Amino acid sequence: MQNKDSKGMTIKKNEDFSEWYQELIIKSGLADYSAVSGCIVYKPGSYQIWEKIIHIIDKEFKNIGIKNCYFPLFIPESLLVKESEHVEGFVPEVAWVTHSGNSKLNERLAVRPTSEAIMYDSYSKWIRSHKDLPLKLNQWNNVVRWEFKHPVPFLRGREFLWNEGHNAYSNPEELNEDKEKILNIYYNFLKDYMALASFIGKKTNKEKFAGAVATYSIELLLPNGRAIQGPDYHDDGQNFAKAYNIKFLDENSKEDYVYQSTYAISTRMLGVMFAIHSDDKGLVLPPRLSENKIVIIPILFEQSKKEVLQKSNELKKLLQEYNPILDEREDYTPGWKYNEWELKGIPLRLEIGPRDLEKNQVVLVLRHSGEKKIVNINKLEEEIPLLLDKMHNDLYENSKKFLESNIKEVKNFKEFSDAIKDKKIVKINWCDRTECEEQIKEKLEGVKSLNIDLEKNPLYGEMCANCGNEAKVICRFGRSY
Amino acid sequence: MQNKDSKGMTIKKNEDFSEWYQELIIKSGLADYSAVSGCIVYKPGSYQIWEKIIHIIDKEFKNIGIKNCYFPLFIPESLLVKESEHVEGFVPEVAWVTHSGNSKLNERLAVRPTSEAIMYDSYSKWIRSHKDLPLKLNQWNNVVRWEFKHPVPFLRGREFLWNEGHNAYSNPEELNEDKEKILNIYYNFLKDYMALASFIGKKTNKEKFAGAVATYSIELLLPNGRAIQGPDYHDDGQNFAKAYNIKFLDENSKEDYVYQSTYAISTRMLGVMFAIHSDDKGLVLPPRLSENKIVIIPILFEQSKKEVLQKSNELKKLLQEYNPILDEREDYTPGWKYNEWELKGIPLRLEIGPRDLEKNQVVLVLRHSGEKKIVNINKLEEEIPLLLDKMHNDLYENSKKFLESNIKEVKNFKEFSDAIKDKKIVKINWCDRTECEEQIKEKLEGVKSLNIDLEKNPLYGEMCANCGNEAKVICRFGRSY
């Protein structure tokens, strides 16, 4: 048992976001550091949320014909190097297995940083005819990327969990249809379960996935003004098909390479969600992803203890669909318990004492706002879902307001630079040239393109806010995690 | 598309079990070989069964307070070597990561063969007081053991999927209570879902888990007369607690080491299940684990095609809880489709042609027995669950008969040796001495102890069937996979 005084949060979110975040993750019991530098332990507090994410998204995937499978963890070096851009993107971060027991292996094995290489080797054997297409396979697995930047729990680490979907089609039209569906699955999940506002767009050529024709990303904004990439989707065209020789015979017996796409959501999103919603008291969890949606705190006095505990147990049973925790401990005060469950992010607190019992009522307190509501016990089953929905909507609206108020449209480099200093995401008319992007990166250290607006384009004759050439797209830039 | 003639099974189960098994796995679409020797691809056909196993067992685990988490894939060498027996057991099979990108690591990292070392390092930090106990954590993950024996899909490979549960208690009594529950969860799962008969027992000292005080195993018998170990449970006593320094203060503030247990079921059980139930036509799956429980085959003639297809689609909708496949393809004959779905192990075939339509009936065919039943469409929803239950029970009874008829009690070494030649599991009165066990292994090549009967003991004065010393236990021996 830790010292009671040291249990709570001590750092303020708006004073030192980075320290606050790390204190939050450890003290709320979500994760812990491990003996392996850059790798964390996902404790039940965070892992159970990841299980819910898998459950919800997996159902949506299955609805559009995506099936799960499992490919080997290891990728022989000779396979990994087949697609040259892909290799360059990943090799610097690969963890290499060189020995088994005391023997040296004939060929080094990469611990998968992503599974294109090993999967497409199989695809090239499995796919022969248009009848074998589309092939839509997904894995929920672990991947390793040996980053050397400072690791941060969930947000940046050397091993993470994700889904990696790998679809193959006989034509780009079907691929594009699924692209919309898959991006929407991710975007709506962020909105409807994580209560997070985000924006979809296309990555610039410089920032797209190694080996892809086009990358689409869903981006978010952290409380420290850093943009962070969420789920993404890659249109690989026929690039990998050519590198891994994945050909099919179409209906006219003509041979062609398949069209491919990949898509992913990772445990990084857990960190983004914890960071955006939580506060100086600790974790705030959107109720739809919270394992225990209610904590029941009986207010115990010697005289009325028996009755209050009995009613508390009845309520626990009544509300079992919310998987409530009943905190009956007698060696802690109610106030201390409030703090503990606020730290751990239980969405709704239900207090019940002898006076409440007399009036057949309870006090409900919402974690995110501190709002209190006295509710008659007969109305509980009606009131609780409304309160949980309200909480979800509040969190989403807060996140949307925060995001929108921090995106600034600018017209020239001076405004661009000022907005970046002001920790904004900037939106500019842009020429869409890698050379110009590199110039921006040089002039504004740490700034990079986030993604290109898919819906709006510059007006005829508008110019790039950086270089003055003709503007082709509207692009968002910012300091990025 | 493969040549139609080569699609079906060509090898007989009782003529060459090993070749038959490998043909079964590939042709029924369960798995494929990969570019990494000893590692297979779990195709959707097998992976969806693994997902069901996780779902069902995980629920049972959660009912007894076991929570899921995720620990790093890598284990620093210095941690792995802390428990000496454990190390000796695993180090010869460890895959070692030595480099990241182009840099050599300061310390080699083991790709987890099992997670005691990395988990217990955290346990030693997390556990302080009896209030922190019991701690019951589980992972569903991938592990790597670089075996050099001939790999066989599911049954023996270098990477497999499993659950690894790691419980810590303040006393052996609570540990033992959970031991019964956990072994029962596994045993009943094998019986109630996999339709497999098995026997529980205690491993001999020679065969127990590296580092455990006692190992309990659930053993099965393959069609080739080889015993194979299924799920297991290890009572680690305080061995790991001492090696990893996991101490707690009890209610009297006295310090003690925790008591620990571990338990696992792996994807090996998929292979055991496929091997035991399947036949010369292909895969036979117990219906409770089959993703698609029914395949609907419309018998198409030009004149009545429209009506038959319409009714088939209605039936698909009516029976949707069984997730039926409707095989409407017109370029394949019904007979060819029968073969294909038999190969793939769909439990129930529903045939419907124009004459059936007239009589408002269908023909149902059970995969495992070929048994046909004509059923009125109005009775379908009543009849199908009965047939699926019958199938499950038949499969279980067959497996039980096979197992029981192949266990032979013997009284002396001559009978022992004869029974082994006859591919039996033998049950003997045994002295429970490692020396005697080693003698048996020397005299009968390939034979080892399976497990010790937990319920029966030798009568007073009975002697060891091998060495003639006093018998202490009843032990099963056999050739093992």
Side-chain angles (χ1 to χ4, degrees), chain B residues 254-305:
Chain B
K254 216 182 120 263
E255 199 175 66
D256 196 5
Y257 290 102
V258 298
Y259 296 82
Q260 291 180 274
S261 68
T262 64
Y263 40 96
I265 184 171
S266 80
T267 42
R268 166 185 270 197
M269 277 311 302
L270 291 173
V272 176
M273 177 178 77
F274 300 145
I276 292 181
H277 295 315
S278 301
D279 62 22
D280 292 343
K281 291 176 175 177
L283 188 62
V284 175
L285 278 180
R288 292 175 197 161
L289 291 179
S290 182
E291 175 75 12
N292 306 98
K293 302 196 201 307
I294 300 177
V295 58
I296 301 170
I297 314 266
I299 314 296
L300 301 175
F301 298 97
E302 211 41 62
Q303 273 196 319
S304 50
K305 192 160 83 179

Side-chain angles (χ1 to χ4, degrees), chain B residues 187-204:
Chain B
Y187 181 85
N188 290 333
F189 177 79
L190 265 50
K191 179 170 181 287
D192 297 336
Y193 290 90
M194 295 192 136
L196 291 175
S198 61
F199 54 90
I200 300 187
K202 189 177 164 182
K203 286 280 184 191
T204 63

Side-chain angles (χ1 to χ4, degrees), chain A residues 1 32 36 42 44 51 68-70 72-74 92 94 96-101 126 131 142 146 148 159 331, chain B residues 32 34 36 42 44 51 68-70 72-74 92 94 96-101 126 128 131 142 146 148 159 331:
Chain A
M1 215 55 187
D32 199 2
V36 188
Y42 296 75
E51 286 183 301
N68 287 336
C69 61
Y70 186 77
L73 172 68
F74 297 132
V94 163
W96 291 107
V97 173
T98 58
H99 290 74
S100 65
W126 295 344
K131 288 184 185 173
N142 55 338
W146 212 258
F148 288 93
E159 181 186 8
D331 46 347
Chain B
D32 199 2
S34 80
V36 188
Y42 295 75
E51 286 182 302
N68 287 336
C69 62
Y70 186 77
L73 172 69
F74 297 132
V94 164
W96 290 107
V97 173
T98 57
H99 290 73
S100 67
W126 296 344
R128 290 281 171 269
K131 289 184 186 173
N142 55 338
W146 212 258
F148 288 93
E159 181 186 9
D331 46 348

Side-chain angles (χ1 to χ4, degrees), chain A residues 207-471:
Chain A
E207 294 293 336
K208 71 178 164 62
F209 179 67
V213 168
T215 287
Y216 299 83
S217 70
I218 301 179
E219 307 271 341
L220 301 99
L221 182 61
L222 289 175
N224 62 351
R226 298 267 168 157
I228 190 162
Q229 188 179 317
D232 55 13
Y233 174 97
H234 312 294
D235 176 347
D236 296 328
Q238 296 177 308
N239 286 352
F240 284 95
K242 284 172 185 166
Y244 291 90
N245 198 32
I246 315 176
K247 286 187 279 195
F248 72 100
L249 288 178
D250 71 13
E251 279 156 6
N252 307 312
S253 295
K254 216 182 120 262
E255 198 175 67
D256 196 4
Y257 290 102
V258 299
Y259 296 81
Q260 290 179 274
S261 69
T262 64
Y263 40 95
I265 184 171
S266 80
T267 42
R268 165 185 272 199
M269 277 310 302
L270 291 173
V272 176
M273 179 178 76
F274 300 145
I276 292 181
H277 295 315
S278 302
D279 62 21
D280 293 343
K281 291 177 175 176
L283 188 63
V284 175
L285 278 181
R288 293 175 195 159
L289 291 179
S290 182
E291 175 75 13
N292 307 98
K293 301 194 202 312
I294 300 176
V295 58
I296 301 170
I297 314 266
I299 315 296
L300 301 176
F301 298 96
E302 211 42 60
Q303 273 198 321
S304 50
K305 193 160 83 178
K306 202 180 144 196
E307 292 75 19
V308 169
L309 281 178
Q310 192 186 327
K311 181 54 87 177
S312 298
N313 275 289
E314 281 172 37
L315 289 173
K316 186 181 176 190
K317 213 169 165 188
L318 177 75
L319 303 173
Q320 63 185 338
E321 65 178 299
Y322 304 102
N323 202 6
I325 294 165
L326 169 54
D327 189 345
E328 296 181 305
R329 291 175 296 175
E330 296 192 20
D331 46 347
Y332 294 87
T333 64
W336 196 87
K337 293 179 184 177
Y338 297 169
N339 290 340
E340 174 164 5
W341 297 113
E342 280 175 352
L343 176 64
K344 292 197 171 161
I346 306 298
L348 214 51
R349 180 170 81 229
L350 187 158
E351 307 167 6
I352 179 161
R355 277 180 302 175
D356 300 308
L357 206 58
E358 277 168 26
K359 296 182 190 163
N360 196 43
Q361 70 184 24
V362 301
V363 181
L364 294 177
V365 187
L366 276 79
R367 168 66 185 87
H368 71 301
S369 62
E371 203 178 323
K372 282 192 179 196
K373 193 159 186 179
I374 293 171
V375 178
N376 187 287
I377 287 179
N378 302 328
K379 293 269 183 192
L380 260 186
E381 283 170 289
E382 193 177 306
E383 200 63 40
I384 285 174
L386 298 177
L387 285 172
L388 293 174
D389 273 350
K390 176 188 155 35
M391 179 171 177
H392 175 88
N393 294 334
D394 284 358
L395 291 176
Y396 180 72
E397 287 306 322
N398 291 346
S399 125
K400 196 174 164 201
K401 247 180 262 164
F402 174 71
L403 179 64
E404 286 175 355
S405 66
N406 281 290
I407 298 180
K408 195 165 179 196
E409 288 184 41
V410 303
K411 291 293 171 202
N412 55 49
F413 185 74
K414 171 72 172 66
E415 287 178 16
F416 191 156
S417 160
D418 288 347
I420 289 292
K421 269 183 217 141
D422 202 22
K423 297 190 170 179
K424 303 295 185 201
I425 290 172
V426 300
K427 224 171 147 175
I428 63 168
N429 289 324
W430 188 53
C431 62
D432 197 10
R433 294 182 311 123
T434 300
E435 206 188 324
C436 176
E437 183 169 353
E438 277 165 359
Q439 211 183 64
I440 293 172
K441 285 188 84 147
E442 230 166 78
K443 291 196 282 184
L444 298 169
E445 212 198 307
V447 169
K448 63 181 203 179
S449 67
L450 304 175
N451 62 25
I452 294 167
D453 198 312
L454 295 174
E455 283 159 14
K456 275 195 209 156
N457 278 313
L459 298 177
Y460 178 77
E462 285 187 311
M463 291 174 316
C464 172
N466 179 51
C467 70
N469 282 314
E470 188 192 347

Side-chain angles (χ1 to χ4, degrees), chain B residues 220-264:
Chain B
L220 301 100
L221 182 61
L222 289 174
N224 63 351
R226 298 269 167 154
I228 189 161
Q229 188 180 317
D232 55 14
Y233 175 98
H234 312 292
D235 177 346
D236 296 328
Q238 297 177 308
N239 284 354
F240 283 94
K242 284 173 185 164
Y244 291 89
N245 198 32
I246 316 175
K247 285 187 279 197
F248 71 102
L249 289 179
D250 71 13
E251 280 155 6
N252 307 313
S253 294
K254 216 182 120 263
E255 199 175 66
D256 196 5
Y257 290 102
V258 298
Y259 296 82
Q260 291 180 274
S261 68
T262 64
Y263 40 96

Side-chain angles (χ1 to χ4, degrees), chain A residues 42-188:
Chain A
Y42 296 75
K43 294 173 81 170
S46 62
Y47 195 76
Q48 65 200 6
I49 301 175
W50 183 240
E51 286 183 301
K52 283 188 211 303
I53 294 176
I54 293 177
H55 182 75
I56 295 160
I57 292 184
D58 202 65
K59 219 178 202 171
E60 299 282 338
F61 281 172
K62 282 178 176 152
N63 282 341
I64 59 170
I66 298 166
K67 289 185 175 181
N68 287 336
C69 61
Y70 186 77
F71 278 77
L73 172 68
F74 297 132
I75 304 174
E77 187 166 14
S78 57
L79 265 190
L80 190 65
V81 301
K82 279 197 175 180
E83 212 290 334
S84 60
E85 282 183 44
H86 188 62
V87 175
E88 279 175 40
F90 286 105
V91 164
E93 294 181 353
V94 163
W96 291 107
V97 173
T98 58
H99 290 74
S100 65
N102 292 318
S103 323
K104 196 171 176 209
L105 299 178
N106 289 329
E107 184 181 11
R108 299 199 297 179
L109 299 172
V111 181
R112 66 178 160 229
T114 177
S115 299
E116 279 76 1
I118 188 88
M119 291 179 79
Y120 300 168
D121 183 55
S122 289
Y123 280 27
S124 76
K125 289 189 288 173
W126 295 344
I127 296 170
R128 290 282 170 267
S129 146
H130 64 96
K131 288 184 185 173
D132 301 322
L133 298 169
L135 179 65
K136 306 182 193 177
L137 295 182
N138 178 57
Q139 312 191 64
W140 293 98
N141 62 17
N142 55 338
V143 283
V144 171
R145 296 180 190 175
W146 212 258
E147 291 221 33
F148 288 93
K149 286 188 204 163
H150 181 60
V152 180
F154 303 109
L155 297 178
R156 196 192 292 125
R158 288 172 173 173
E159 181 186 8
F160 56 89
L161 309 177
W162 73 347
N163 95 275
E164 52 173 322
H166 294 263
N167 295 3
Y169 303 87
S170 61
N171 60 74
E173 293 75 25
E174 268 182 83
L175 179 146
N176 282 323
E177 251 177 62
D178 274 352
K179 179 184 87 180
E180 298 299 318
K181 289 180 192 165
I182 291 164
L183 280 168
N184 280 334
I185 287 171
Y186 288 140
Y187 181 84
N188 291 332

